[in-house]
Amino acid sequence: MADDRIRLSGDGTLTSKTEGLRARLAAQPGEYRLEEGPQGMWMLSRVSSDGKPRGRVLMMGELVSRMTVVEIINLVTSANWRGELHIIGSVGRRILTVDQGALKHAQTDFESERLGQVLVRTGVVQRDALPSLLKQKSPDQRFGQMLVERGLLDQGTLFKQLQNQAEGIFQASLLEERGAYWFVAPPDDAPPPPTTVHFPIQALLMEGVQRIDEMSLYRERIPHNRFFPFALSGAPPLRSKDVESYVTENVLPRCDGTKSIDDLARESGLGEFPALKAVYQLLRGNQVQLRRGPTLDKKVVLRLVRQFNEIVRDIFVVVATYGSMDVARRSLSSWLELGPHAAVLGGEVDVDGTLDAATLIARLEGTAHDDPMAQIHQALHELAAYALFTASSGLPRHEEQSLARDVNHRLKQLRL
């Protein structure tokens, strides 16, 4: 992510490039040990007062496919490792605590996977009552325990729901296909998790692989979540044996053509996989149809353009060292003028190769493309690739390879 970039100066000084990252770093003061990994990769590990690292990183890397997390967990259980598997996706983080081949605890940043949403989905808490209950929780209270203290559920029910939550977080982790991971073995004196469960991981993996197969099936008919389902009038009644109750009670009433599948996942509290499964079942039952628009998400476009501009600015900095920025700018403008994306990107770039987001959004709003988000995504990728191609022709070999690695890595983050 562009927000995670740090600049290393020639004198060894590290500086953060954005206010958001500076705030995150300021919240983690202390001493860290620097571990150098493969070329271009470092790791900082916080050390305790006695100078020892707080945990050992046994494995780390990049998620490259939907099977990556499955393969990592298989390796961890085969080696009988004990520790935490951190899975960092494009929009959040999950942490799975593993010991003796079992899932012992799970944490999540995703709102749809929090305990409150789990309780709503299972009917323990009414959806309209949840916001009020969350406001009543004090900062030092755990939400579930507060409900027990108020007599809204008993300890046995709470434990069962925490088990459901942990299992759901685990299954959702398996579907992450882009991002990073690391496995950390904690020190011997690490505090235990607040709640401990025990799910044999091999049994969870069998269910998870089936879910991955299902996701592939759904994606054949619903390639992405930017479709807007709308209910068909006069549709034949659905038989209860064909769909789960949440489909007709929680998803179908929301299919009014104004909410994307992502909106349905968020508003229903179901999360991505159950919401996508529900829409797929409704499609098969001839209950809904999908429409592509309105799909222009201005916030996402602003993010994409910001990321693109940062990439191209850095390309132009290298170009300025070995050649002419003006020549590079004219080359990009010429490609735009004669290429297929002039209607959206315009006919020229700024002096540093960048694009103006507001102007670009105005052009997108005036196009008749049936999927403007896919259109801008494709256009920015092609323009960035051409900018790299133009710059590379005048660079020394080592500089060309270094720039290509950096740009291609950052282009992976330029996604919807």
Side-chain angles (χ1 to χ4, degrees), residues 252-326:
L252 182 57
R254 289 182 163 87
C255 294
D256 58 6
T258 67
K259 300 178 180 69
S260 68
I261 296 174
D262 278 332
D263 295 332
L264 295 176
R266 183 176 59 256
E267 291 185 13
S268 66
L270 293 170
E272 180 188 22
F273 182 81
L276 183 65
K277 180 178 181 179
V279 173
Y280 178 82
Q281 290 179 342
L282 292 171
L283 279 172
R284 290 195 62 187
N286 297 315
Q287 300 294 306
V288 301
Q289 286 187 357
L290 302 179
R291 62 167 58 114
R292 292 180 177 270
T295 59
L296 182 60
D297 189 327
K298 295 182 181 180
K299 290 183 179 180
V300 175
V301 174
L302 288 171
R303 172 179 61 79
L304 292 174
V305 174
R306 183 182 70 248
Q307 291 176 279
F308 167 84
N309 285 343
E310 290 177 348
I311 293 171
V312 174
R313 282 195 192 100
D314 287 351
I315 291 176
F316 269 49
V317 168
V318 176
V319 168
T321 304
Y322 294 95
S324 168
M325 288 179 61
D326 188 55

Side-chain angles (χ1 to χ4, degrees), residues 96-151:
L96 308 177
T97 302
V98 178
D99 189 11
Q100 300 177 1
L103 175 70
K104 308 297 287 187
H105 183 68
Q107 297 172 247
T108 182
D109 284 348
F110 292 79
E111 186 63 32
S112 64
E113 296 165 10
R114 295 192 181 279
L115 180 61
Q117 295 293 345
V118 175
L119 295 175
V120 168
R121 288 197 293 272
T122 54
V124 177
V125 172
Q126 296 299 312
R127 181 170 300 281
D128 55 2
L130 180 61
S132 175
L133 289 171
L134 290 171
K135 288 179 181 178
Q136 296 172 36
K137 184 182 76 68
S138 62
D140 59 343
Q141 269 186 316
R142 302 190 68 81
F143 181 62
Q145 201 57 44
M146 182 198 78
L147 297 180
V148 171
E149 292 171 0
R150 298 192 175 201

Side-chain angles (χ1 to χ4, degrees), residues 355-413:
L355 298 167
D356 179 71
T359 303
L360 193 148
I361 289 174
R363 292 196 189 100
L364 281 171
E365 291 176 327
T367 65
H369 198 280
D370 60 357
D371 193 349
M373 296 303 296
Q375 183 185 24
I376 185 59
H377 181 254
Q378 177 72 16
L380 291 177
H381 267 272
E382 289 188 17
L383 182 56
Y386 186 75
L388 176 62
F389 171 75
T390 300
S392 299
S393 60
L395 300 181
R397 181 63 175 167
H398 72 280
E399 191 68 53
E400 176 190 350
Q401 292 177 337
S402 176
L403 181 63
R405 280 195 298 268
D406 177 61
V407 170
N408 285 319
H409 173 73
R410 290 160 65 185
L411 282 176
K412 292 179 182 179
Q413 311 303 318

Side-chain angles (χ1 to χ4, degrees), residues 209-280:
V209 171
Q210 179 180 349
R211 182 173 288 203
I212 291 172
D213 291 340
E214 288 182 31
M215 178 68 89
S216 299
L217 174 65
Y218 304 153
R219 284 303 183 206
E220 290 179 4
R221 188 160 184 180
I222 312 171
H224 53 72
N225 294 347
R226 299 185 307 282
F227 287 107
F228 290 69
F230 64 95
L232 296 173
S233 60
L238 275 173
R239 295 176 298 178
S240 58
K241 68 176 184 178
D242 293 334
V243 296
E244 291 87 346
S245 60
Y246 79 86
V247 177
T248 53
E249 296 173 2
N250 201 9
V251 178
L252 182 57
R254 289 182 163 87
C255 294
D256 58 6
T258 67
K259 300 178 180 69
S260 68
I261 296 174
D262 278 332
D263 295 332
L264 295 176
R266 183 176 59 256
E267 291 185 13
S268 66
L270 293 170
E272 180 188 22
F273 182 81
L276 183 65
K277 180 178 181 179
V279 173
Y280 178 82

Side-chain angles (χ1 to χ4, degrees), residues 7-150:
R7 183 177 296 281
L8 174 62
S9 303
D11 61 356
T13 303
L14 288 173
T15 55
S16 56
K17 300 191 68 175
T18 65
E19 185 63 35
L21 180 55
R22 283 192 290 273
R24 289 164 56 195
L25 293 175
Q28 301 290 335
E31 293 187 4
Y32 292 80
R33 177 169 295 161
L34 176 65
E35 304 287 352
E36 188 169 359
Q39 184 177 8
M41 296 187 68
W42 286 351
M43 181 180 70
L44 295 174
S45 58
R46 190 198 294 266
V47 297
S48 58
S49 57
D50 59 5
K52 296 180 180 179
R54 297 194 175 188
R56 294 177 297 137
V57 177
L58 304 186
M59 179 171 55
M60 63 186 299
E62 183 177 353
L63 304 180
V64 296
S65 75
R66 190 160 280 155
M67 289 300 294
T68 302
V69 178
V70 173
E71 293 165 353
I72 295 165
I73 293 176
N74 263 323
L75 190 155
V76 167
T77 53
S78 297
N80 200 26
W81 284 350
R82 167 182 172 268
E84 295 179 342
L85 176 60
H86 295 244
I87 301 166
I88 301 90
S90 56
V91 294
R93 174 195 302 257
R94 299 178 180 93
I95 303 174
L96 308 177
T97 302
V98 178
D99 189 11
Q100 300 177 1
L103 175 70
K104 308 297 287 187
H105 183 68
Q107 297 172 247
T108 182
D109 284 348
F110 292 79
E111 186 63 32
S112 64
E113 296 165 10
R114 295 192 181 279
L115 180 61
Q117 295 293 345
V118 175
L119 295 175
V120 168
R121 288 197 293 272
T122 54
V124 177
V125 172
Q126 296 299 312
R127 181 170 300 281
D128 55 2
L130 180 61
S132 175
L133 289 171
L134 290 171
K135 288 179 181 178
Q136 296 172 36
K137 184 182 76 68
S138 62
D140 59 343
Q141 269 186 316
R142 302 190 68 81
F143 181 62
Q145 201 57 44
M146 182 198 78
L147 297 180
V148 171
E149 292 171 0
R150 298 192 175 201

